[in-house]
Amino acid sequence: MQLNSLVKIKSNSLFFCLIISSIIFFLYSNISFLSDLLGHLSIHNNVEKPSCDDGFYFCRPPFSKFLYYWLYIFLNVDFIIFLQLYFLIYSSILVRSQLANLNLNTWIINFLFILIVLNPKILKYSFSTMEESFYLPVLLISISFLIKLVQNKNLKSLIHLNFSLALLI
């Protein structure tokens, strides 16, 4: 019975993410005041194939460039931005659910969720095709797994945290 309720919660959160992402994408794309609130967005329509230079000492810069290169080959720029926004909201819901498992005040949890989702600076990164648009949701997922590790203290939670931190770095 717990498995059915867990699947229902996950499907409800995915549907909730889709609705919220669609609303935010539609509002910020069609209302000039909200679009001006984001400021100058750096959207690259033509992306050249990146190369692995010797100057990269970390994995993240070439990974994000190759990720966007392959996404631009198969998808439209607007759809990529929508996916980034969806990923941000889904990762925010993961943090919200982990905070709810800690039995914190629901007003504080919902306030933090709204603060993350509706923050114009975070939305600016989600509406652009910069490196931070991938970095922020992965950071939120890492925070979610860190909360889960503190709560459960088992090997599975530690492995999830390590994989999310590997993507982050």
Side-chain angles (χ1 to χ4, degrees):
M1 183 164 167
Q2 281 186 338
L3 183 63
N4 290 336
S5 65
L6 184 64
V7 170
K8 184 177 180 183
I9 290 171
K10 286 186 179 180
S11 63
N12 287 342
S13 64
L14 291 175
F15 185 67
F16 179 71
C17 287
L18 183 66
I19 290 173
I20 296 297
S21 302
S22 301
I23 290 171
I24 290 174
F25 183 75
F26 179 76
L27 287 176
Y28 275 85
S29 297
N30 294 328
I31 298 176
S32 64
F33 167 73
L34 295 175
S35 179
D36 294 340
L37 183 65
L38 294 178
H40 176 71
L41 300 176
S42 61
I43 299 173
H44 306 289
N45 289 328
N46 297 327
V47 177
E48 298 177 8
K49 185 174 182 179
S51 62
C52 291
D53 296 333
D54 294 332
F56 289 123
Y57 298 109
F58 299 102
C59 299
R60 192 171 44 129
F63 175 75
S64 62
K65 288 180 182 179
F66 278 105
L67 177 70
Y68 281 114
Y69 173 72
W70 288 107
L71 285 174
Y72 278 126
I73 289 176
F74 297 112
L75 301 173
N76 187 6
V77 174
D78 290 333
F79 190 67
I80 292 171
I81 290 173
F82 176 75
L83 287 177
Q84 290 174 172
L85 189 62
Y86 180 81
F87 191 43
L88 174 74
I89 292 173
Y90 183 72
S91 60
S92 302
I93 285 179
L94 283 177
V95 170
R96 184 189 177 284
S97 66
Q98 291 300 325
L99 288 175
N101 289 339
L102 289 176
N103 296 327
L104 295 177
N105 189 352
T106 56
W107 286 96
I108 294 173
I109 294 170
N110 291 332
F111 178 71
L112 287 174
F113 173 73
I114 290 172
L115 191 68
I116 291 171
V117 170
L118 297 181
N119 188 347
K121 187 161 186 118
I122 294 175
L123 282 176
K124 179 180 180 177
Y125 290 131
S126 294
F127 274 96
S128 65
T129 56
M130 296 177 3
E131 180 181 347
E132 287 83 6
S133 59
F134 177 74
Y135 180 74
L136 285 173
V138 174
L139 178 66
L140 288 173
I141 289 173
S142 298
I143 291 170
S144 165
F145 285 136
L146 181 65
I147 294 170
K148 189 174 182 179
L149 178 69
V150 167
Q151 191 177 27
N152 291 341
K153 295 181 182 101
N154 60 12
L155 186 61
K156 183 179 177 183
S157 299
L158 181 63
I159 291 172
H160 287 155
L161 178 65
N162 284 335
F163 281 134
S164 66
L165 289 176
L167 276 176
L168 190 63
I169 295 172

